[in-house]
Amino acid sequence: IRLGQPAITALTDDNARARAASAIYPSVRDEVLSMHRWNEAVARVALAVNATAPSWGFANAYDLPADFIRFAHSEDMDTDYRIEGNQILTDRSDMNIIYIRRITDINLMSPGLQDAISKRLSAEIAIPLTGSDAKQDRMWRLFVLAMTDAQFADSQQAPIEQIAGGTWLNSRSGSTPVYRSISSTAI
């Protein structure tokens, strides 16, 4: 509708608009989810160690959850780790993480997140459907504004979480514990 086209009632509709939206929706959804630490997309998990250790460099490998989109942080901020493929490699014998998960049910998304995804999708399909660079530019501007509003609203849903700065950061500040905010824009 934002593009001046008839509405899509379902992504499974048999028309060019629905086909274009359906083809790109999963990647647009995941990209927008990865751009912010949305409260509804945050998940905590204690990972199980994989029976096959990395061939070198780290002692253990942990399989990432199937709905994993982006790493937020581990329980121990001093953990040395590397994400390779669908695993986290580390020397730790246990691994508890907070991550951004894939949400496939739009009803579990806040209205702001739904609006941001919709506007990003409109920007992505503007040229194929309308041939108009101007409409695409307008949709990108609307997406940026929608993201700003949605991120602000989302950040108001929980208090600021304090995380210890870790040994490196503490050493940089004279060994006094330092905390950083992991509010909506920090992660």
Side-chain angles (χ1 to χ4, degrees), residues 64-85:
L64 293 169
D67 62 353
F68 179 90
I69 290 182
R70 181 174 64 87
F71 182 81
H73 64 86
S74 66
E75 181 179 45
D76 179 3
M77 291 302 288
D78 286 335
T79 298
D80 186 23
Y81 70 90
R82 177 168 303 278
I83 296 177
E84 293 181 0

Side-chain angles (χ1 to χ4, degrees), residues 44-120:
R44 296 171 186 257
V45 66
L47 299 174
V49 68
N50 189 304
T52 305
S55 59
W56 61 274
F58 291 98
N60 295 305
Y62 295 87
D63 292 332
L64 293 169
D67 62 353
F68 179 90
I69 290 182
R70 181 174 64 87
F71 182 81
H73 64 86
S74 66
E75 181 179 45
D76 179 3
M77 291 302 288
D78 286 335
T79 298
D80 186 23
Y81 70 90
R82 177 168 303 278
I83 296 177
E84 293 181 0
N86 65 345
Q87 293 184 325
I88 294 181
L89 309 180
T90 184
D91 289 329
R92 290 187 53 90
S93 59
D94 64 334
M95 192 68 177
N96 298 327
I97 66 167
I98 295 177
Y99 70 100
I100 307 304
R101 69 184 176 96
R102 177 175 296 105
I103 302 173
T104 56
D105 183 349
I106 197 163
N107 296 312
L108 300 177
M109 298 177 191
S110 66
L113 177 55
Q114 290 177 19
D115 187 50
I117 291 171
S118 170
K119 288 178 177 160
R120 171 71 184 260

